[in-house]
Amino acid sequence: MHFSVDSKTAGRIRTGGTYVRSGLISLRYLPDDSYRYSPVVSKKQGTSVRRNRIKRVIRDIMRAGKDTFPAGSYLVYYNGASATVTHSELTEAITQAMQTVRKRQMH
């Protein structure tokens, strides 16, 4: 089970969230006590099968990082080429983005 961001919160994240980019991934987030996330993959990335595969991988990575990633509400945008991305490449990009989030929250 994943913890999706509702549409009202997604709107607040889009307008007032902090932006972080790390290679294949861009994040917009708002600090929060809970941990919620939703993957966003543009139709430019290909067929629904490809887009949904990328979303599943992003959800898997975010779910696995629940205990290590900072709490907050996240929109996770995919920016790469869908045909060539691997799980490990996405994991690295998301981990780097979350490290940036953690650094910004410390300041």
Side-chain angles (χ1 to χ4, degrees):
M1 178 178 167
H2 70 284
F3 301 95
S4 295
V5 173
D6 61 43
S7 60
K8 184 177 178 180
T9 304
R12 287 197 334 250
I13 295 169
R14 273 189 226 100
T15 58
T18 304
Y19 179 80
V20 173
R21 179 160 182 155
S22 178
L24 299 171
I25 295 294
S26 298
L27 295 176
R28 281 203 180 271
Y29 71 94
L30 289 173
D32 196 349
D33 292 336
S34 63
Y35 179 73
R36 298 200 172 276
Y37 52 88
S38 287
V40 181
V41 181
S42 167
K43 287 186 177 181
K44 293 178 183 178
Q45 296 302 328
T47 65
S48 61
V49 173
R50 287 185 180 176
R51 293 191 311 270
N52 289 336
R53 179 190 162 274
I54 293 166
K55 286 191 250 184
R56 280 193 305 272
V57 172
I58 290 171
R59 279 190 213 107
D60 180 55
I61 295 164
M62 295 296 287
R63 187 179 316 108
K66 181 181 188 292
D67 295 328
T68 57
F69 294 158
S73 296
Y74 297 92
L75 292 179
V76 184
Y77 295 89
Y78 176 71
N79 304 316
S82 62
T84 60
V85 70
T86 65
H87 192 285
S88 61
E89 289 171 330
L90 281 174
T91 301
E92 183 179 332
I94 290 173
T95 302
Q96 287 175 357
M98 288 300 191
Q99 287 172 350
T100 303
V101 169
R102 181 171 279 119
K103 287 177 188 175
R104 287 186 182 181
Q105 287 180 348
M106 289 181 177
H107 294 306

